[in-house]
Amino acid sequence: MAAGRAAPLTTTVPAGRTAVGPPRRLPLLAVEAATLLSGTANGVTSVVLPWLVLERGGGAAGAGLVAAATALPLVLTAVLAGVVVDRVGRRRVSVVSDVVSAAAVAAIPLLELATGGLGLGSVVALAALGALLDPAGVTAREAMLPEAAAAARLPLSRVNGVHEAVWGAAFFIGPAVGGVLIGLVGAVPALWATTGAFVLSAVVVALVRVPGGGRPESRAESSAGAVRRVLADTAEGIAVLRADRLVRCAAAVAVLVSATYLPISAVLLPVLFEQQDAPGRLGLLLLVMSGGWVLGSLLQGAVGHRLPRSLVLRVATVGASLALVPFVALPPYPVLLGCGALAGLLFGPINPLVNLAFQRRVPSHLRGRVLGIVASGAYAAGPVGHLAAGLLVDGTGLRTAFAVFVGAVVVAALSVLVLRPLRELDDLPDGEETPVASPVAVGPVLPEPRTPAAR
């Protein structure tokens, strides 16, 4: 081992030791079903709530306030979400997260009936409440994947590919379903379908016993001691990021991609098509990009194991960024569709590979808090990038804004080429090994430096 390099946090059973008994696919199916249901429900609300505000005369500022109300809790709670997952239990956190979201969404039509009409403040407050535990729910389900994959006797790379494809499907199914429901029954009644999806997600996870999803060993402590322990747990997660070079680099890839790409899809493209008065074109382009993401994720799970993972990650990241370069010229729509499809296809393998690094190098009992810390970085990067993109469009124009953000994506992607620890991806096991909690000491004994996933 090279001098100065931290010992890897081994999280798998030695080769040859696999789970006993027949394969159990139900736990994995439950995790993925809950991911699809919860993700689709959130996608529906992302369309329905702003539409509801616009219907009530809240204007674009009101719709933006609702969007901010759903984003702010993600930034504030994501960093602690992983600690909650590790201490309370993955299955329990997933269920509670969906129940809280269902209650907040159902409160809107119920209060509508009781009061005759909700004000903007009430909608904003309920939107914030519904989003409050979303990071914990997402982290809980993702933390259950390795054990569910081991129970199903499936390689983690394949499971990660399927998981990201499910996320991609939820991303474009949700808004589409929301738009259809608004047209069929109206914005307020559409929220009952969202409530049902959240409840069904909670029921699926509650009824299926996912390995590693139960309640961890309880600790009796005072409230002050609990607060200190939460802070100490968060510090442990940060220590893992500082100690393991591969985990640190994987986190950096996740956050850099989120910070530079999301403002393009969430701000610049909507501005472009609003100027053209062509919302249908925006929807089709995002649908094509999401479809490419789903296909890329599935291909990574199916055939990615035949190629060096570090090579796939580098080619995918750089290739996806270069596919966005023609956007700077604001080309004809067919060119945008082609480039968007290619970018989505190449973005597809990135998250499955990043997830594999976390799953194989982070001890099981620390996995939730590490995922939560990385997610908080990605959630925080999004709003900052969105604000910068909006200011840049107003100050310099749309073409310049595209040039700046596409250039940032390319620079971030090229940085992947020099992250040498990513070569350690090629050495990670990818069989049916069951991840275990390594008794690795984390804290002051770990080396110093440090650096930053999506959804």
Side-chain angles (χ1 to χ4, degrees), residues 80-187:
L80 296 178
V83 175
V84 173
V85 168
D86 287 339
R87 292 178 65 79
V88 177
R90 297 162 187 170
R91 186 175 67 246
R92 179 175 298 186
V93 169
S94 178
V95 170
V96 171
S97 170
D98 284 331
V99 168
V100 170
S101 294
V105 172
I108 295 176
L110 288 175
L111 291 175
E112 181 83 5
L113 289 174
T115 63
L118 284 178
L120 176 60
S122 299
V123 175
V124 169
L126 290 170
L129 175 62
L132 186 64
L133 296 183
D134 279 352
V138 171
T139 301
R141 287 185 284 273
E142 196 144 309
M144 288 189 281
L145 276 180
E147 285 81 5
R153 304 286 187 84
L154 292 174
L156 260 180
S157 61
R158 184 180 304 174
V159 170
N160 284 335
V162 171
H163 185 70
E164 291 303 321
V166 169
W167 257 119
F171 258 77
F172 69 76
I173 290 174
V177 170
V180 170
L181 288 175
I182 290 171
L184 291 177
V185 300

Side-chain angles (χ1 to χ4, degrees), residues 331-377:
Y333 188 63
V335 176
L336 285 176
L337 283 178
C339 293
L342 179 60
L345 180 68
L346 291 170
F347 273 125
I350 297 175
N351 274 349
L353 292 170
V354 167
N355 288 344
L356 185 66
F358 295 141
Q359 292 160 346
R360 288 307 194 195
R361 295 288 282 266
V362 177
S364 178
H365 67 292
L366 300 176
R367 191 184 304 141
R369 68 200 71 176
V370 172
L371 290 174
I373 291 168
V374 176
S376 69

Side-chain angles (χ1 to χ4, degrees), residues 75-360:
V75 178
L76 297 178
T77 63
V79 70
L80 296 178
V83 175
V84 173
V85 168
D86 287 339
R87 292 178 65 79
V88 177
R90 297 162 187 170
R91 186 175 67 246
R92 179 175 298 186
V93 169
S94 178
V95 170
V96 171
S97 170
D98 284 331
V99 168
V100 170
S101 294
V105 172
I108 295 176
L110 288 175
L111 291 175
E112 181 83 5
L113 289 174
T115 63
L118 284 178
L120 176 60
S122 299
V123 175
V124 169
L126 290 170
L129 175 62
L132 186 64
L133 296 183
D134 279 352
V138 171
T139 301
R141 287 185 284 273
E142 196 144 309
M144 288 189 281
L145 276 180
E147 285 81 5
R153 304 286 187 84
L154 292 174
L156 260 180
S157 61
R158 184 180 304 174
V159 170
N160 284 335
V162 171
H163 185 70
E164 291 303 321
V166 169
W167 257 119
F171 258 77
F172 69 76
I173 290 174
V177 170
V180 170
L181 288 175
I182 290 171
L184 291 177
V185 300
V188 174
L191 293 174
W192 286 118
T194 304
T195 301
F198 278 127
V199 170
L200 188 55
S201 173
V203 169
V204 167
V205 175
L207 294 181
V208 177
R209 292 295 182 263
V210 179
R215 184 175 183 177
E217 182 180 349
S218 60
R219 308 175 188 176
E221 51 193 351
S222 64
S223 57
V227 171
R228 286 195 297 269
R229 189 62 225 172
V230 166
L231 295 176
D233 287 349
T234 303
E236 283 184 326
I238 294 173
V240 172
L241 287 170
R242 294 170 60 184
D244 191 295
R245 301 188 311 169
L246 175 59
V247 173
R248 191 164 66 244
C249 289
V253 171
V255 173
L256 286 174
V257 169
S258 296
T260 55
Y261 166 70
L262 289 181
I264 295 175
S265 64
V267 178
L268 301 187
L269 289 177
V271 169
L272 171 63
F273 290 107
E274 190 275 335
Q275 291 178 353
Q276 299 176 4
D277 193 23
R281 287 190 167 193
L282 171 63
L284 179 58
L285 176 58
L286 294 178
L287 182 65
V288 166
M289 296 179 77
S290 297
W293 177 19
V294 171
L295 180 58
S297 299
L298 290 174
L299 287 175
Q300 171 58 30
V303 300
H305 60 282
R306 300 178 182 176
L307 298 169
R309 299 189 193 106
S310 59
L311 176 63
V312 173
L313 181 61
R314 289 183 169 115
V315 169
T317 307
V318 174
S321 69
L322 294 179
L324 296 174
V325 169
F327 281 40
V328 176
L330 307 182
Y333 188 63
V335 176
L336 285 176
L337 283 178
C339 293
L342 179 60
L345 180 68
L346 291 170
F347 273 125
I350 297 175
N351 274 349
L353 292 170
V354 167
N355 288 344
L356 185 66
F358 295 141
Q359 292 160 346
R360 288 307 194 195

